[in-house]
PDB file of all heavy atoms in Angstrom:
ATOM      1  N   GLY A   7    -127.216 -94.000  -3.357  1.00 97.00           N
ATOM      2  CA  GLY A   7    -126.490 -95.273  -3.348  1.00 97.00           C
ATOM      3  C   GLY A   7    -125.005 -95.021  -3.389  1.00 97.00           C
ATOM      4  O   GLY A   7    -124.567 -93.895  -3.657  1.00 97.00           O
ATOM      5  N   PRO A   8    -124.218 -96.059  -3.133  1.00 95.00           N
ATOM      6  CA  PRO A   8    -122.761 -95.875  -3.097  1.00 95.00           C
ATOM      7  C   PRO A   8    -122.195 -95.539  -4.466  1.00 95.00           C
ATOM      8  O   PRO A   8    -122.856 -95.792  -5.472  1.00 95.00           O
ATOM      9  CB  PRO A   8    -122.253 -97.251  -2.632  1.00 95.00           C
ATOM     10  CG  PRO A   8    -123.334 -98.196  -3.022  1.00 95.00           C
ATOM     11  CD  PRO A   8    -124.617 -97.443  -2.914  1.00 95.00           C
ATOM     12  N   PRO A   9    -120.980 -94.997  -4.495  1.00 92.00           N
ATOM     13  CA  PRO A   9    -120.336 -94.809  -5.789  1.00 92.00           C
ATOM     14  C   PRO A   9    -120.245 -96.172  -6.470  1.00 92.00           C
ATOM     15  O   PRO A   9    -119.981 -97.171  -5.803  1.00 92.00           O
ATOM     16  CB  PRO A   9    -118.941 -94.261  -5.435  1.00 92.00           C
ATOM     17  CG  PRO A   9    -118.777 -94.455  -3.966  1.00 92.00           C
ATOM     18  CD  PRO A   9    -120.120 -94.602  -3.366  1.00 92.00           C
ATOM     19  N   GLY A  10    -120.502 -96.216  -7.754  1.00 88.00           N
ATOM     20  CA  GLY A  10    -120.404 -97.496  -8.460  1.00 88.00           C
ATOM     21  C   GLY A  10    -121.694 -98.290  -8.472  1.00 88.00           C
ATOM     22  O   GLY A  10    -121.751 -99.374  -9.040  1.00 88.00           O
ATOM     23  N   ALA A  11    -122.752 -97.743  -7.886  1.00 92.00           N
ATOM     24  CA  ALA A  11    -124.034 -98.471  -7.894  1.00 92.00           C
ATOM     25  C   ALA A  11    -124.746 -98.301  -9.228  1.00 92.00           C
ATOM     26  O   ALA A  11    -125.778 -98.913  -9.459  1.00 92.00           O
ATOM     27  CB  ALA A  11    -124.923 -97.992  -6.757  1.00 92.00           C
ATOM     28  N   GLY A  12    -124.211 -97.449 -10.097  1.00 89.00           N
ATOM     29  CA  GLY A  12    -124.804 -97.271 -11.419  1.00 89.00           C
ATOM     30  C   GLY A  12    -125.869 -96.194 -11.457  1.00 89.00           C
ATOM     31  O   GLY A  12    -126.713 -96.177 -12.352  1.00 89.00           O
ATOM     32  N   LYS A  13    -125.810 -95.251 -10.528  1.00 94.00           N
ATOM     33  CA  LYS A  13    -126.818 -94.181 -10.488  1.00 94.00           C
ATOM     34  C   LYS A  13    -126.769 -93.323 -11.761  1.00 94.00           C
ATOM     35  O   LYS A  13    -127.801 -92.959 -12.303  1.00 94.00           O
ATOM     36  CB  LYS A  13    -126.587 -93.261  -9.282  1.00 94.00           C
ATOM     37  CG  LYS A  13    -126.620 -93.961  -7.940  1.00 94.00           C
ATOM     38  CD  LYS A  13    -126.502 -92.970  -6.802  1.00 94.00           C
ATOM     39  CE  LYS A  13    -125.192 -92.193  -6.755  1.00 94.00           C
ATOM     40  NZ  LYS A  13    -123.987 -93.019  -6.493  1.00 94.00           N
ATOM     41  N   GLY A  14    -125.565 -93.040 -12.219  1.00 92.00           N
ATOM     42  CA  GLY A  14    -125.391 -92.178 -13.393  1.00 92.00           C
ATOM     43  C   GLY A  14    -126.005 -92.790 -14.637  1.00 92.00           C
ATOM     44  O   GLY A  14    -126.665 -92.103 -15.425  1.00 92.00           O
ATOM     45  N   THR A  15    -125.819 -94.090 -14.816  1.00 91.00           N
ATOM     46  CA  THR A  15    -126.362 -94.784 -15.988  1.00 91.00           C
ATOM     47  C   THR A  15    -127.889 -94.777 -15.930  1.00 91.00           C
ATOM     48  O   THR A  15    -128.557 -94.519 -16.931  1.00 91.00           O
ATOM     49  CB  THR A  15    -125.840 -96.240 -16.027  1.00 91.00           C
ATOM     50  OG1 THR A  15    -124.432 -96.204 -15.805  1.00 91.00           O
ATOM     51  CG2 THR A  15    -126.126 -96.897 -17.343  1.00 91.00           C
ATOM     52  N   ASP A  84    -128.631 -86.928  -8.917  1.00 97.00           N
ATOM     53  CA  ASP A  84    -127.694 -88.060  -8.918  1.00 97.00           C
ATOM     54  C   ASP A  84    -126.498 -87.647  -8.065  1.00 97.00           C
ATOM     55  O   ASP A  84    -125.764 -86.731  -8.428  1.00 97.00           O
ATOM     56  CB  ASP A  84    -127.288 -88.354 -10.375  1.00 97.00           C
ATOM     57  CG  ASP A  84    -126.069 -89.261 -10.466  1.00 97.00           C
ATOM     58  OD1 ASP A  84    -125.644 -89.822  -9.446  1.00 97.00           O
ATOM     59  OD2 ASP A  84    -125.529 -89.393 -11.583  1.00 97.00           O
ATOM     60  N   ARG A  88    -126.032 -85.964   0.017  1.00 98.00           N
ATOM     61  CA  ARG A  88    -125.064 -86.953   0.489  1.00 98.00           C
ATOM     62  C   ARG A  88    -124.859 -86.890   1.998  1.00 98.00           C
ATOM     63  O   ARG A  88    -124.107 -87.698   2.539  1.00 98.00           O
ATOM     64  CB  ARG A  88    -123.720 -86.703  -0.191  1.00 98.00           C
ATOM     65  CG  ARG A  88    -123.418 -87.691  -1.327  1.00 98.00           C
ATOM     66  CD  ARG A  88    -122.135 -87.213  -1.925  1.00 98.00           C
ATOM     67  NE  ARG A  88    -121.356 -88.171  -2.621  1.00 98.00           N
ATOM     68  CZ  ARG A  88    -121.294 -88.255  -3.954  1.00 98.00           C
ATOM     69  NH1 ARG A  88    -122.068 -87.514  -4.696  1.00 98.00           N
ATOM     70  NH2 ARG A  88    -120.460 -89.092  -4.513  1.00 98.00           N
ATOM     71  N   PHE A 113    -130.080 -97.576  -4.414  1.00 97.00           N
ATOM     72  CA  PHE A 113    -129.412 -98.671  -5.115  1.00 97.00           C
ATOM     73  C   PHE A 113    -128.405 -99.325  -4.175  1.00 97.00           C
ATOM     74  O   PHE A 113    -127.402 -98.709  -3.806  1.00 97.00           O
ATOM     75  CB  PHE A 113    -128.720 -98.142  -6.377  1.00 97.00           C
ATOM     76  CG  PHE A 113    -129.701 -97.634  -7.379  1.00 97.00           C
ATOM     77  CD1 PHE A 113    -130.144 -96.321  -7.349  1.00 97.00           C
ATOM     78  CD2 PHE A 113    -130.238 -98.493  -8.335  1.00 97.00           C
ATOM     79  CE1 PHE A 113    -131.087 -95.861  -8.250  1.00 97.00           C
ATOM     80  CE2 PHE A 113    -131.179 -98.045  -9.244  1.00 97.00           C
ATOM     81  CZ  PHE A 113    -131.600 -96.725  -9.199  1.00 97.00           C
ATOM     82  N   GLU A 114    -128.726-100.561  -3.820  1.00 95.00           N
ATOM     83  CA  GLU A 114    -127.878-101.275  -2.864  1.00 95.00           C
ATOM     84  C   GLU A 114    -126.946-102.209  -3.639  1.00 95.00           C
ATOM     85  O   GLU A 114    -127.417-103.054  -4.402  1.00 95.00           O
ATOM     86  CB  GLU A 114    -128.778-102.089  -1.938  1.00 95.00           C
ATOM     87  CG  GLU A 114    -128.121-102.490  -0.659  1.00 95.00           C
ATOM     88  CD  GLU A 114    -129.107-103.239   0.232  1.00 95.00           C
ATOM     89  OE1 GLU A 114    -129.971-103.961  -0.290  1.00 95.00           O
ATOM     90  OE2 GLU A 114    -129.004-103.086   1.445  1.00 95.00           O
ATOM     91  N   ALA A 115    -125.621-102.029  -3.456  1.00 92.00           N
ATOM     92  CA  ALA A 115    -124.679-102.838  -4.238  1.00 92.00           C
ATOM     93  C   ALA A 115    -123.631-103.475  -3.326  1.00 92.00           C
ATOM     94  O   ALA A 115    -123.283-102.918  -2.286  1.00 92.00           O
ATOM     95  CB  ALA A 115    -123.980-101.943  -5.263  1.00 92.00           C
ATOM     96  N   SER A 116    -123.126-104.643  -3.729  1.00 90.00           N
ATOM     97  CA  SER A 116    -122.100-105.305  -2.920  1.00 90.00           C
ATOM     98  C   SER A 116    -120.727-104.680  -3.205  1.00 90.00           C
ATOM     99  O   SER A 116    -120.496-104.111  -4.281  1.00 90.00           O
ATOM    100  CB  SER A 116    -122.066-106.799  -3.228  1.00 90.00           C
ATOM    101  OG  SER A 116    -121.654-106.987  -4.561  1.00 90.00           O
ATOM    102  N   TYR A 117    -119.827-104.830  -2.236  1.00 87.00           N
ATOM    103  CA  TYR A 117    -118.490-104.243  -2.347  1.00 87.00           C
ATOM    104  C   TYR A 117    -117.776-104.726  -3.617  1.00 87.00           C
ATOM    105  O   TYR A 117    -117.159-103.949  -4.341  1.00 87.00           O
ATOM    106  CB  TYR A 117    -117.687-104.613  -1.092  1.00 87.00           C
ATOM    107  CG  TYR A 117    -116.330-103.974  -1.060  1.00 87.00           C
ATOM    108  CD1 TYR A 117    -116.200-102.619  -0.756  1.00 87.00           C
ATOM    109  CD2 TYR A 117    -115.187-104.708  -1.347  1.00 87.00           C
ATOM    110  CE1 TYR A 117    -114.953-102.017  -0.737  1.00 87.00           C
ATOM    111  CE2 TYR A 117    -113.932-104.116  -1.331  1.00 87.00           C
ATOM    112  CZ  TYR A 117    -113.823-102.771  -1.024  1.00 87.00           C
ATOM    113  OH  TYR A 117    -112.606-102.171  -1.024  1.00 87.00           O
ATOM    114  N   LYS A 118    -117.914-106.018  -3.906  1.00 86.00           N
ATOM    115  CA  LYS A 118    -117.221-106.621  -5.056  1.00 86.00           C
ATOM    116  C   LYS A 118    -117.681-105.937  -6.363  1.00 86.00           C
ATOM    117  O   LYS A 118    -116.856-105.554  -7.205  1.00 86.00           O
ATOM    118  CB  LYS A 118    -117.547-108.118  -5.081  1.00 86.00           C
ATOM    119  CG  LYS A 118    -116.855-108.891  -6.161  1.00 86.00           C
ATOM    120  CD  LYS A 118    -117.085-110.403  -5.968  1.00 86.00           C
ATOM    121  CE  LYS A 118    -116.865-111.143  -7.264  1.00 86.00           C
ATOM    122  NZ  LYS A 118    -118.044-111.169  -8.135  1.00 86.00           N
ATOM    123  N   VAL A 119    -118.976-105.790  -6.510  1.00 87.00           N
ATOM    124  CA  VAL A 119    -119.520-105.186  -7.730  1.00 87.00           C
ATOM    125  C   VAL A 119    -119.111-103.712  -7.836  1.00 87.00           C
ATOM    126  O   VAL A 119    -118.741-103.235  -8.911  1.00 87.00           O
ATOM    127  CB  VAL A 119    -121.066-105.342  -7.772  1.00 87.00           C
ATOM    128  CG1 VAL A 119    -121.685-104.498  -8.864  1.00 87.00           C
ATOM    129  CG2 VAL A 119    -121.437-106.805  -7.943  1.00 87.00           C
ATOM    130  N   ILE A 120    -119.108-103.021  -6.715  1.00 90.00           N
ATOM    131  CA  ILE A 120    -118.730-101.599  -6.720  1.00 90.00           C
ATOM    132  C   ILE A 120    -117.294-101.427  -7.232  1.00 90.00           C
ATOM    133  O   ILE A 120    -117.031-100.624  -8.136  1.00 90.00           O
ATOM    134  CB  ILE A 120    -118.842-100.999  -5.297  1.00 90.00           C
ATOM    135  CG1 ILE A 120    -120.301-100.911  -4.884  1.00 90.00           C
ATOM    136  CG2 ILE A 120    -118.189 -99.635  -5.220  1.00 90.00           C
ATOM    137  CD1 ILE A 120    -120.517-100.537  -3.433  1.00 90.00           C
ATOM    138  N   VAL A 121    -116.376-102.209  -6.663  1.00 88.00           N
ATOM    139  CA  VAL A 121    -114.971-102.055  -7.041  1.00 88.00           C
ATOM    140  C   VAL A 121    -114.772-102.440  -8.512  1.00 88.00           C
ATOM    141  O   VAL A 121    -114.073-101.742  -9.258  1.00 88.00           O
ATOM    142  CB  VAL A 121    -114.043-102.867  -6.104  1.00 88.00           C
ATOM    143  CG1 VAL A 121    -112.604-102.815  -6.583  1.00 88.00           C
ATOM    144  CG2 VAL A 121    -114.150-102.332  -4.685  1.00 88.00           C
ATOM    145  N   GLU A 122    -115.452-103.510  -8.942  1.00 85.00           N
ATOM    146  CA  GLU A 122    -115.371-103.936 -10.350  1.00 85.00           C
ATOM    147  C   GLU A 122    -115.852-102.837 -11.281  1.00 85.00           C
ATOM    148  O   GLU A 122    -115.199-102.499 -12.261  1.00 85.00           O
ATOM    149  CB  GLU A 122    -116.312-105.126 -10.540  1.00 85.00           C
ATOM    150  CG  GLU A 122    -115.626-106.434 -10.894  1.00 85.00           C
ATOM    151  CD  GLU A 122    -116.660-107.554 -10.849  1.00 85.00           C
ATOM    152  OE1 GLU A 122    -117.769-107.391 -11.425  1.00 85.00           O
ATOM    153  OE2 GLU A 122    -116.363-108.552 -10.211  1.00 85.00           O
ATOM    154  N   ARG A 123    -117.009-102.247 -10.934  1.00 87.00           N
ATOM    155  CA  ARG A 123    -117.595-101.210 -11.804  1.00 87.00           C
ATOM    156  C   ARG A 123    -116.734 -99.960 -11.842  1.00 87.00           C
ATOM    157  O   ARG A 123    -116.488 -99.400 -12.905  1.00 87.00           O
ATOM    158  CB  ARG A 123    -118.984-100.806 -11.288  1.00 87.00           C
ATOM    159  CG  ARG A 123    -120.030-101.825 -11.623  1.00 87.00           C
ATOM    160  CD  ARG A 123    -121.398-101.162 -11.778  1.00 87.00           C
ATOM    161  NE  ARG A 123    -122.398-102.200 -11.849  1.00 87.00           N
ATOM    162  CZ  ARG A 123    -123.395-102.345 -10.987  1.00 87.00           C
ATOM    163  NH1 ARG A 123    -123.550-101.481 -10.016  1.00 87.00           N
ATOM    164  NH2 ARG A 123    -124.249-103.326 -11.128  1.00 87.00           N
ATOM    165  N   LEU A 124    -116.257 -99.535 -10.672  1.00 90.00           N
ATOM    166  CA  LEU A 124    -115.526 -98.268 -10.637  1.00 90.00           C
ATOM    167  C   LEU A 124    -114.174 -98.380 -11.331  1.00 90.00           C
ATOM    168  O   LEU A 124    -113.762 -97.455 -12.027  1.00 90.00           O
ATOM    169  CB  LEU A 124    -115.329 -97.781  -9.199  1.00 90.00           C
ATOM    170  CG  LEU A 124    -116.589 -97.318  -8.478  1.00 90.00           C
ATOM    171  CD1 LEU A 124    -116.244 -96.840  -7.083  1.00 90.00           C
ATOM    172  CD2 LEU A 124    -117.290 -96.209  -9.240  1.00 90.00           C
ATOM    173  N   SER A 125    -113.503 -99.515 -11.166  1.00 90.00           N
ATOM    174  CA  SER A 125    -112.176 -99.580 -11.794  1.00 90.00           C
ATOM    175  C   SER A 125    -112.272 -99.759 -13.303  1.00 90.00           C
ATOM    176  O   SER A 125    -111.320 -99.429 -14.007  1.00 90.00           O
ATOM    177  CB  SER A 125    -111.282-100.626 -11.120  1.00 90.00           C
ATOM    178  OG  SER A 125    -112.022-101.759 -10.830  1.00 90.00           O
ATOM    179  N   ARG A 127    -114.681 -98.211 -15.048  1.00 91.00           N
ATOM    180  CA  ARG A 127    -115.483 -97.091 -15.559  1.00 91.00           C
ATOM    181  C   ARG A 127    -114.613 -96.100 -16.335  1.00 91.00           C
ATOM    182  O   ARG A 127    -113.512 -95.765 -15.928  1.00 91.00           O
ATOM    183  CB  ARG A 127    -116.148 -96.372 -14.381  1.00 91.00           C
ATOM    184  CG  ARG A 127    -116.852 -95.082 -14.796  1.00 91.00           C
ATOM    185  CD  ARG A 127    -117.891 -94.663 -13.817  1.00 91.00           C
ATOM    186  NE  ARG A 127    -117.353 -94.102 -12.595  1.00 91.00           N
ATOM    187  CZ  ARG A 127    -118.117 -93.655 -11.597  1.00 91.00           C
ATOM    188  NH1 ARG A 127    -119.435 -93.758 -11.676  1.00 91.00           N
ATOM    189  NH2 ARG A 127    -117.572 -93.146 -10.518  1.00 91.00           N
ATOM    190  N   ILE A 136    -121.120 -92.381 -19.842  1.00 91.00           N
ATOM    191  CA  ILE A 136    -120.384 -93.318 -18.996  1.00 91.00           C
ATOM    192  C   ILE A 136    -120.236 -94.656 -19.714  1.00 91.00           C
ATOM    193  O   ILE A 136    -121.200 -95.176 -20.272  1.00 91.00           O
ATOM    194  CB  ILE A 136    -121.146 -93.541 -17.667  1.00 91.00           C
ATOM    195  CG1 ILE A 136    -121.380 -92.199 -16.951  1.00 91.00           C
ATOM    196  CG2 ILE A 136    -120.380 -94.508 -16.763  1.00 91.00           C
ATOM    197  CD1 ILE A 136    -122.474 -92.261 -15.892  1.00 91.00           C
ATOM    198  N   ASN A 138    -118.329 -98.789 -19.485  1.00 91.00           N
ATOM    199  CA  ASN A 138    -117.667 -99.768 -18.626  1.00 91.00           C
ATOM    200  C   ASN A 138    -116.874-100.674 -19.548  1.00 91.00           C
ATOM    201  O   ASN A 138    -117.441-101.232 -20.501  1.00 91.00           O
ATOM    202  CB  ASN A 138    -118.706-100.556 -17.821  1.00 91.00           C
ATOM    203  CG  ASN A 138    -118.042-101.570 -16.923  1.00 91.00           C
ATOM    204  OD1 ASN A 138    -117.464-102.557 -17.395  1.00 91.00           O
ATOM    205  ND2 ASN A 138    -118.093-101.340 -15.627  1.00 91.00           N
ATOM    206  N   TYR A 141    -118.594-104.284 -19.584  1.00 86.00           N
ATOM    207  CA  TYR A 141    -119.997-104.525 -19.974  1.00 86.00           C
ATOM    208  C   TYR A 141    -120.487-103.617 -21.090  1.00 86.00           C
ATOM    209  O   TYR A 141    -121.424-103.935 -21.788  1.00 86.00           O
ATOM    210  CB  TYR A 141    -120.918-104.327 -18.760  1.00 86.00           C
ATOM    211  CG  TYR A 141    -120.488-105.128 -17.572  1.00 86.00           C
ATOM    212  CD1 TYR A 141    -120.001-104.510 -16.424  1.00 86.00           C
ATOM    213  CD2 TYR A 141    -120.531-106.524 -17.613  1.00 86.00           C
ATOM    214  CE1 TYR A 141    -119.572-105.254 -15.344  1.00 86.00           C
ATOM    215  CE2 TYR A 141    -120.110-107.273 -16.528  1.00 86.00           C
ATOM    216  CZ  TYR A 141    -119.634-106.626 -15.401  1.00 86.00           C
ATOM    217  OH  TYR A 141    -119.214-107.368 -14.335  1.00 86.00           O
ATOM    218  N   ARG A 160    -111.630 -91.417 -14.083  1.00 88.00           N
ATOM    219  CA  ARG A 160    -111.635 -90.343 -13.097  1.00 88.00           C
ATOM    220  C   ARG A 160    -110.532 -90.576 -12.062  1.00 88.00           C
ATOM    221  O   ARG A 160    -110.282 -91.708 -11.671  1.00 88.00           O
ATOM    222  CB  ARG A 160    -112.995 -90.301 -12.388  1.00 88.00           C
ATOM    223  CG  ARG A 160    -114.082 -89.773 -13.262  1.00 88.00           C
ATOM    224  CD  ARG A 160    -115.455 -89.994 -12.679  1.00 88.00           C
ATOM    225  NE  ARG A 160    -115.539 -89.833 -11.235  1.00 88.00           N
ATOM    226  CZ  ARG A 160    -116.693 -89.861 -10.565  1.00 88.00           C
ATOM    227  NH1 ARG A 160    -117.827 -90.037 -11.214  1.00 88.00           N
ATOM    228  NH2 ARG A 160    -116.716 -89.725  -9.268  1.00 88.00           N
ATOM    229  N   ASP A 162    -110.616 -90.087  -9.019  1.00 86.00           N
ATOM    230  CA  ASP A 162    -111.127 -90.704  -7.796  1.00 86.00           C
ATOM    231  C   ASP A 162    -111.661 -92.118  -8.018  1.00 86.00           C
ATOM    232  O   ASP A 162    -112.216 -92.717  -7.118  1.00 86.00           O
ATOM    233  CB  ASP A 162    -112.170 -89.807  -7.122  1.00 86.00           C
ATOM    234  CG  ASP A 162    -113.361 -89.490  -8.007  1.00 86.00           C
ATOM    235  OD1 ASP A 162    -113.289 -89.766  -9.215  1.00 86.00           O
ATOM    236  OD2 ASP A 162    -114.371 -88.978  -7.484  1.00 86.00           O
ATOM    237  N   ASP A 163    -111.503 -92.666  -9.225  1.00 88.00           N
ATOM    238  CA  ASP A 163    -111.877 -94.069  -9.467  1.00 88.00           C
ATOM    239  C   ASP A 163    -110.677 -95.015  -9.312  1.00 88.00           C
ATOM    240  O   ASP A 163    -110.743 -96.175  -9.679  1.00 88.00           O
ATOM    241  CB  ASP A 163    -112.480 -94.245 -10.868  1.00 88.00           C
ATOM    242  CG  ASP A 163    -113.971 -93.895 -10.893  1.00 88.00           C
ATOM    243  OD1 ASP A 163    -114.559 -93.750  -9.800  1.00 88.00           O
ATOM    244  OD2 ASP A 163    -114.533 -93.776 -11.987  1.00 88.00           O
ATOM    245  N   ILE A 168    -111.180 -95.180  -4.043  1.00 88.00           N
ATOM    246  CA  ILE A 168    -112.483 -95.867  -3.975  1.00 88.00           C
ATOM    247  C   ILE A 168    -112.762 -96.274  -2.528  1.00 88.00           C
ATOM    248  O   ILE A 168    -113.850 -96.060  -2.002  1.00 88.00           O
ATOM    249  CB  ILE A 168    -112.503 -97.124  -4.883  1.00 88.00           C
ATOM    250  CG1 ILE A 168    -112.425 -96.723  -6.354  1.00 88.00           C
ATOM    251  CG2 ILE A 168    -113.762 -97.958  -4.629  1.00 88.00           C
ATOM    252  CD1 ILE A 168    -112.317 -97.880  -7.327  1.00 88.00           C
ATOM    253  N   ARG A 171    -113.780 -93.305  -0.477  1.00 91.00           N
ATOM    254  CA  ARG A 171    -115.129 -92.834  -0.832  1.00 91.00           C
ATOM    255  C   ARG A 171    -116.190 -93.733  -0.207  1.00 91.00           C
ATOM    256  O   ARG A 171    -117.224 -93.265   0.230  1.00 91.00           O
ATOM    257  CB  ARG A 171    -115.289 -92.798  -2.349  1.00 91.00           C
ATOM    258  CG  ARG A 171    -114.543 -91.635  -2.981  1.00 91.00           C
ATOM    259  CD  ARG A 171    -114.383 -91.813  -4.462  1.00 91.00           C
ATOM    260  NE  ARG A 171    -115.629 -91.687  -5.190  1.00 91.00           N
ATOM    261  CZ  ARG A 171    -115.836 -92.205  -6.392  1.00 91.00           C
ATOM    262  NH1 ARG A 171    -114.889 -92.907  -6.988  1.00 91.00           N
ATOM    263  NH2 ARG A 171    -116.988 -92.035  -7.003  1.00 91.00           N
ATOM    264  N   LEU A 172    -115.907 -95.033  -0.178  1.00 93.00           N
ATOM    265  CA  LEU A 172    -116.895 -95.960   0.402  1.00 93.00           C
ATOM    266  C   LEU A 172    -117.015 -95.771   1.912  1.00 93.00           C
ATOM    267  O   LEU A 172    -118.113 -95.836   2.463  1.00 93.00           O
ATOM    268  CB  LEU A 172    -116.527 -97.401   0.064  1.00 93.00           C
ATOM    269  CG  LEU A 172    -116.844 -97.779  -1.385  1.00 93.00           C
ATOM    270  CD1 LEU A 172    -116.316 -99.161  -1.719  1.00 93.00           C
ATOM    271  CD2 LEU A 172    -118.346 -97.716  -1.644  1.00 93.00           C
ATOM    272  N   TYR A 175    -119.023 -92.767   2.407  1.00 96.00           N
ATOM    273  CA  TYR A 175    -120.416 -93.066   2.055  1.00 96.00           C
ATOM    274  C   TYR A 175    -121.136 -93.724   3.238  1.00 96.00           C
ATOM    275  O   TYR A 175    -122.248 -93.330   3.595  1.00 96.00           O
ATOM    276  CB  TYR A 175    -120.456 -93.974   0.813  1.00 96.00           C
ATOM    277  CG  TYR A 175    -121.830 -94.528   0.565  1.00 96.00           C
ATOM    278  CD1 TYR A 175    -122.813 -93.748  -0.038  1.00 96.00           C
ATOM    279  CD2 TYR A 175    -122.183 -95.817   0.971  1.00 96.00           C
ATOM    280  CE1 TYR A 175    -124.097 -94.228  -0.221  1.00 96.00           C
ATOM    281  CE2 TYR A 175    -123.456 -96.308   0.797  1.00 96.00           C
ATOM    282  CZ  TYR A 175    -124.411 -95.509   0.193  1.00 96.00           C
ATOM    283  OH  TYR A 175    -125.678 -95.981   0.021  1.00 96.00           O
ATOM    284  N   ALA A 197    -128.735-103.254  -6.799  1.00 92.00           N
ATOM    285  CA  ALA A 197    -127.887-102.648  -7.826  1.00 92.00           C
ATOM    286  C   ALA A 197    -126.847-103.609  -8.391  1.00 92.00           C
ATOM    287  O   ALA A 197    -126.060-103.237  -9.259  1.00 92.00           O
ATOM    288  CB  ALA A 197    -127.213-101.404  -7.273  1.00 92.00           C
ATOM    289  N   ASP A 198    -126.824-104.862  -7.918  1.00 89.00           N
ATOM    290  CA  ASP A 198    -125.892-105.837  -8.494  1.00 89.00           C
ATOM    291  C   ASP A 198    -126.431-106.377  -9.820  1.00 89.00           C
ATOM    292  O   ASP A 198    -125.705-106.997 -10.583  1.00 89.00           O
ATOM    293  CB  ASP A 198    -125.676-107.019  -7.532  1.00 89.00           C
ATOM    294  CG  ASP A 198    -124.779-106.621  -6.361  1.00 89.00           C
ATOM    295  OD1 ASP A 198    -124.300-105.467  -6.356  1.00 89.00           O
ATOM    296  OD2 ASP A 198    -124.558-107.454  -5.468  1.00 89.00           O
ATOM    297  N   GLN A 199    -127.711-106.133 -10.093  1.00 89.00           N
ATOM    298  CA  GLN A 199    -128.310-106.655 -11.330  1.00 89.00           C
ATOM    299  C   GLN A 199    -127.916-105.811 -12.542  1.00 89.00           C
ATOM    300  O   GLN A 199    -127.420-104.697 -12.394  1.00 89.00           O
ATOM    301  CB  GLN A 199    -129.835-106.628 -11.192  1.00 89.00           C
ATOM    302  CG  GLN A 199    -130.333-107.496 -10.063  1.00 89.00           C
ATOM    303  CD  GLN A 199    -131.781-107.173  -9.727  1.00 89.00           C
ATOM    304  OE1 GLN A 199    -132.178-106.013  -9.688  1.00 89.00           O
ATOM    305  NE2 GLN A 199    -132.572-108.201  -9.508  1.00 89.00           N
ATOM    306  N   ARG A 204    -132.455-103.289 -13.516  1.00 94.00           N
ATOM    307  CA  ARG A 204    -132.557-102.199 -12.538  1.00 94.00           C
ATOM    308  C   ARG A 204    -133.509-101.123 -13.027  1.00 94.00           C
ATOM    309  O   ARG A 204    -134.358-100.643 -12.293  1.00 94.00           O
ATOM    310  CB  ARG A 204    -131.178-101.558 -12.343  1.00 94.00           C
ATOM    311  CG  ARG A 204    -130.353-102.228 -11.288  1.00 94.00           C
ATOM    312  CD  ARG A 204    -129.032-101.538 -11.151  1.00 94.00           C
ATOM    313  NE  ARG A 204    -128.080-101.945 -12.158  1.00 94.00           N
ATOM    314  CZ  ARG A 204    -127.145-101.158 -12.684  1.00 94.00           C
ATOM    315  NH1 ARG A 204    -127.053 -99.905 -12.309  1.00 94.00           N
ATOM    316  NH2 ARG A 204    -126.309-101.629 -13.575  1.00 94.00           N
TER     317      ARG A 204
END
Side-chain angles (χ1 to χ4, degrees):
K13 302 185 297 295
T15 313
D84 166 10
R88 257 175 156 103
F113 294 88
E114 200 177 34
S116 65
Y117 184 75
K118 183 172 159 275
V119 169
I120 291 171
V121 174
E122 245 172 48
R123 283 209 191 119
L124 291 181
S125 41
R127 172 159 74 179
I136 303 162
N138 180 291
Y141 307 112
R160 288 168 38 173
D162 59 348
D163 277 348
I168 293 175
R171 286 164 70 202
L172 284 173
Y175 169 79
D198 285 357
Q199 298 165 318
R204 272 181 279 147

